[in-house]
């Protein structure tokens, strides 16, 4: 089964509690991709998970390092974490651009999947910045150079719009999502699903490899509990990852 490197889907939250005259702070660390990781592992995939704050120490910084994987999945973490390791940002010491290493990995025959969120694609206030990285040409979508969030608080039902082995056998309508990132499918890519008139799932080829873009999230808030509990949830990710790896479906 494919070997998958999943990067991102973690965050720290700092809260100020104001109680009259006094105030105090609390901190919390959260990993949001548990259902996604469990779904892949349950289908037999060999999954390595690297939370956002460990990218500089655990994501390979050489081309050979990525040979240990078949697919790299990036979820809800911005390009700065790939391009500004501590030695570069803090000490002005040159270091490899991990976004370029992922691009080269796909060109050589690997697979890449970008999953949506507040810090993927362009992201909130355009802070994710993926459209300005070397990885951008390898993705099957074009990104806007501004805040790209499409909030859908009332919910919108995704619809399968393309014929492809990835979506073969899945329901044509999926449980509602609450938001996504605005992108445009590249002309040479294949649009598989839409949500609220926007591309939701797009796949394509790059060099000798394959790429995919899922523009909503794998976890709340954009992916609410009914989507996570959907019978097709694990099947979708299993089929998509296997296709990206060039494995049998």
């Amino acid at each position: 089964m494919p070997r998958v490197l999943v990067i991102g889907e973690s965050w720290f939250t700092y809260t100020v509690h104001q109680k009259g005259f006094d105030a105090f702070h609390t901190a919390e660390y959260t990993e949001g991709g548990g259902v996604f990781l469990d779904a892949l592992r349950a289908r037999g995939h060999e999954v390595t998970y690297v939370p956002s704050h460990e990218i500089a120490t655990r994501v390979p910084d050489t081309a050979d390092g990525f040979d240990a994987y078949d697919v790299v999945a990036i979820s809800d973490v911005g390009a700065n974490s790939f391009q500004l390791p501590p030695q570069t940002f803090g000490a002005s010491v040159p270091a490899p651009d991990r976004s370029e290493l992922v691009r080269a990995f796909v060109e050589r025959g690997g697979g890449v999947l970008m999953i949506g969120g507040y810090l993927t694609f362009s992201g909130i206030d355009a802070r994710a910045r993926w459209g300005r990285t070397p990885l951008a040409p390898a993705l099957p979508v074009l990104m806007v150079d501004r805040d790209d969030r499409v909030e859908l608080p009332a919910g919108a039902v995704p619809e399968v719009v393309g014929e492809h082995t990835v979506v073969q056998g899945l329901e044509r309508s999926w449980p509602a999502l609450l938001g996504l990132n605005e992108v445009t499918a590249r002309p040479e890519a294949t649009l598989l699903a839409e949500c609220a008139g926007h591309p939701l799932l797009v796949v394509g080829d790059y060099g000798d490899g394959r790429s995919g873009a899922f523009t909503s999230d794998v976890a709340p808030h954009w992916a609410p509990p009914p989507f996570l509990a959907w019978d097709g949830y694990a099947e979708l990710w299993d089929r998509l990852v296997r296709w990206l790896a060039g494995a049998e479906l």
Side-chain angles (χ1 to χ4, degrees):
M1 293 295 285
R3 302 161 299 169
V4 188
L5 175 62
V6 179
I7 308 170
E9 277 300 332
S10 71
W11 58 91
F12 292 88
T13 304
Y14 300 94
T15 304
V16 178
H17 301 257
Q18 183 74 42
K19 297 188 175 183
F21 180 86
D22 297 296
F24 64 92
H25 299 77
T26 58
E28 181 180 11
Y29 171 68
T30 305
E31 294 180 356
V35 176
F36 174 68
L37 298 174
D38 289 346
L40 291 181
R41 288 172 176 145
R43 294 300 181 99
H45 299 282
E46 181 182 329
V47 179
T48 300
Y49 172 56
V50 178
S52 301
H53 64 284
E54 295 183 2
I55 289 172
T57 56
R58 292 186 55 204
V59 171
D61 60 1
T62 65
D64 291 346
F66 284 92
D67 291 342
Y69 308 103
D70 301 301
V71 176
V72 175
I74 300 168
S75 183
D76 210 357
V77 62
N80 284 332
S81 295
F82 284 68
Q83 295 189 305
L84 293 175
Q87 67 266 39
T88 302
F89 183 72
S92 295
V93 176
D97 184 337
R98 286 176 168 86
S99 70
E100 162 59 21
L101 294 178
V102 177
R103 185 209 63 78
F105 163 73
V106 182
E107 187 175 50
R108 296 194 308 271
V112 66
L113 170 62
M114 182 162 284
I115 298 168
Y118 269 37
L119 275 175
T120 330
F121 299 104
S122 291
I124 187 170
D125 299 331
R127 293 186 181 187
R129 294 184 50 257
W130 282 106
R132 292 176 173 264
T133 70
L135 179 59
L139 298 175
V141 296
L142 300 171
M143 291 163 271
V144 298
D145 199 14
R146 54 173 170 75
D147 190 316
D148 65 355
R149 292 170 301 139
V150 179
E151 300 290 356
L152 303 167
V157 173
E159 300 285 347
V160 173
V161 297
E163 300 297 329
H164 196 278
T165 54
V166 168
V167 292
Q168 184 177 347
L170 292 177
E171 303 168 30
R172 306 302 289 185
S173 297
W174 303 345
L177 296 168
L178 300 179
L180 47 78
N181 299 92
E182 180 184 356
V183 300
T184 303
R186 289 185 182 273
E188 66 275 18
T190 303
L191 175 63
L192 303 185
E194 292 183 341
C195 186
H198 295 276
L200 175 65
L201 179 57
V202 186
V203 297
D205 298 316
Y206 180 78
D208 292 329
R210 293 173 171 180
S211 64
F214 182 81
T215 60
S216 191
D217 211 335
V218 295
H221 83 277
W222 279 354
F227 187 82
L228 303 185
W230 171 43
D231 289 342
Y233 183 88
E235 182 70 12
L236 169 63
W237 298 117
D238 174 50
R239 296 183 71 84
L240 180 55
V241 165
R242 283 193 287 148
W243 182 83
L244 290 169
E248 292 276 339
L249 291 184

